[in-house]
């Protein structure tokens, strides 16, 4: 059970890190900005579902090993649920309206949430691996 919790949390941490720091950079390096933005916009709903599911399952398993790690992972799942169901739609609406100021504010919030989530997943991984 402990090994599975560590592996799932490592998968979560690594996947979130790769998506955040690699995926957008690769798209913008290889495609025109409009196409890259379309690709990112299309990927986020699936990415968020993957984070929610992976964090929730890892968190449920972690309850048998360490409750702090479990709550950290559940927090990642719940904050991602907010990002997917609310924040993402607000960001897309601001983009569609051409409201650059609102987009920048909301996108900045999403980046802060994502970075915090990566840090929290890393913290949970350290707890579970020790």
């Amino acid at each position: 059970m402990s090994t599975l919790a560590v592996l799932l949390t490592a998968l979560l941490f690594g996947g979130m890190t790769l998506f955040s720091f690699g995926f957008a950079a690769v798209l913008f390096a290889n495609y025109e900005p409009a196409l890259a933005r379309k690709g990112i916009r299309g990927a986020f709903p699936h990415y968020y579902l993957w984070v929610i599911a992976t964090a929730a399952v890892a968190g449920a398993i972690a309850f048998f090993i360490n409750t702090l790690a479990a709550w950290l992972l559940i927090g990642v799942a719940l904050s991602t649920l907010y990002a997917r169901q609310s924040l993402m739609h607000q960001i897309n609406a601001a983009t569609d309206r051409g409201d650059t100021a609102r987009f920048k504010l909301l996108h900045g919030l999403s980046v802060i949430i994502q970075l915090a989530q990566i840090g929290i997943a890393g913290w949970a991984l350290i707890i579970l691996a020790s």
Side-chain angles (χ1 to χ4, degrees), residues 23-48:
F23 182 68
V26 168
L27 283 182
F28 279 102
N30 290 290
Y31 299 101
E32 297 296 320
L35 187 57
R37 280 192 289 276
K38 184 178 179 182
I40 289 171
R41 190 173 185 167
F44 263 103
H46 305 286
Y47 166 72
Y48 281 148

Side-chain angles (χ1 to χ4, degrees), residues 54-94:
T54 306
V57 171
I61 294 169
F63 269 112
F64 296 99
I65 297 114
N66 184 289
T67 54
L68 175 58
W71 283 116
L72 292 170
L73 292 164
I74 296 301
V76 169
L78 292 174
S79 59
T80 304
L81 185 64
Y82 161 74
R84 184 180 194 277
Q85 297 305 114
S86 181
L87 189 56
M88 179 181 67
H89 297 293
Q90 293 175 46
I91 291 169
N92 290 343

Side-chain angles (χ1 to χ4, degrees), residues 7-8 11 13 17 25 46 56 76 84 88-89 93-94 98 101 106 108 111 124:
L7 288 173
L8 283 172
L11 177 66
F13 177 77
T17 302
H46 305 286
V76 169
R84 184 180 194 277
M88 179 181 67
H89 297 293
L106 294 170
V111 169

